[in-house]
Amino acid sequence: MTDATSRKELGGGMRLALDLGPLLLFFLANAKVGIFFATGVFIVAILVSMAVSYALVRHVTALQMFSAVMVVVMGGLTIWLHNETFIKLKPTIYYGFVAAILGFGLATGRPLLKNVLGGAYPGLDAEGWRKLTRNWALFFVVMAIANELVWRNSSTSFWVGYKLWGAIPATLLFAIANVPMLMRHGLNKEDAVNASEPAPVE
């Protein structure tokens, strides 16, 4: 089995494009046509993104796979039942599940985030991985709560705008905010650019 630290990894720019591309297409399609058409576009786009990732580096991460499954299942229910609640719930479930997995890793001393992202952050010591895992776990708890508050108390248009202008920038800024800590724990300057890209993007 190939170790996470020895696998070929996508560059920061390409990884960000493949993570955010499907979301941006979702936002554009929603603005032009509506939420149900946009959900179909999102499903196709994330499957294409995962296929491109596999073609380039011959593997997809567990987080990529989980996100794709969530989009297909929740998006499929949204279209099939013509009920936008499912696609709105998707971020809450994603954030909550990832936070729970990372929290379980912290509680049991298992470097679950390192297993997924080890190749992206070479040189990071054990304490750095522990702090990074803790930080992302707490961040995702906050994001899950925020998504619930927004979609349950606002219109669909506002929720989509929140995801574009609130959730994505918050994730990017949070990733950048972690870089000084990572550099204090072994990450070199050359890899700091990749570290400024968000780890798991919903």
Side-chain angles (χ1 to χ4, degrees):
M1 185 175 179
T2 305
D3 185 79
T5 58
S6 65
R7 291 187 307 212
K8 183 180 178 182
E9 297 289 340
L10 292 168
M14 178 58 74
R15 187 172 75 243
L16 188 62
L18 292 175
D19 282 344
L20 294 185
L23 283 170
L24 295 177
L25 288 173
F26 170 77
F27 299 136
L28 181 61
N30 179 74
K32 296 293 185 180
V33 182
I35 189 70
F36 298 108
F37 179 80
T39 299
V41 169
F42 195 19
I43 292 172
V44 174
I46 201 164
L47 292 175
V48 170
S49 174
M50 192 167 60
V52 170
S53 178
Y54 183 81
L56 291 174
V57 295
R58 289 292 180 245
H59 73 90
V60 293
T61 68
L63 287 174
Q64 285 176 310
M65 185 69 71
F66 176 63
S67 183
V69 170
M70 286 293 300
V71 169
V72 171
V73 172
M74 301 301 284
L77 287 171
T78 296
I79 296 169
W80 182 34
L81 300 175
H82 207 69
N83 186 340
E84 60 197 40
T85 298
F86 294 101
I87 197 66
K88 292 178 179 179
L89 272 172
K90 185 260 178 185
T92 301
I93 297 172
Y94 176 89
Y95 291 136
F97 183 81
V98 175
I101 291 296
L102 295 181
F104 174 78
L106 283 174
T108 58
R110 300 177 184 180
L112 299 180
L113 191 61
K114 182 179 179 181
N115 291 343
V116 176
L117 301 174
Y121 300 151
L124 190 62
D125 63 26
E127 181 63 10
W129 279 113
R130 188 190 70 79
K131 289 181 177 179
L132 184 64
T133 302
R134 177 203 62 196
N135 292 353
W136 277 111
L138 293 174
F139 177 77
F140 285 135
V141 169
V142 171
M143 292 297 284
I145 294 171
N147 187 68
E148 282 296 291
L149 290 174
V150 171
W151 86 261
R152 291 181 184 276
N153 295 283
S154 63
S155 66
T156 297
S157 295
F158 186 90
W159 174 75
V160 172
Y162 157 75
K163 284 178 64 63
L164 178 59
W165 303 111
I168 290 178
T171 304
L172 294 171
L173 290 173
F174 185 79
I176 293 170
N178 276 284
V179 171
M181 178 276 291
L182 297 174
M183 294 182 70
R184 290 195 299 271
H185 287 280
L187 191 73
N188 60 46
K189 292 181 179 179
E190 289 73 17
D191 294 305
V193 174
N194 281 346
S196 67
E197 310 294 354
V201 178
E202 183 274 320

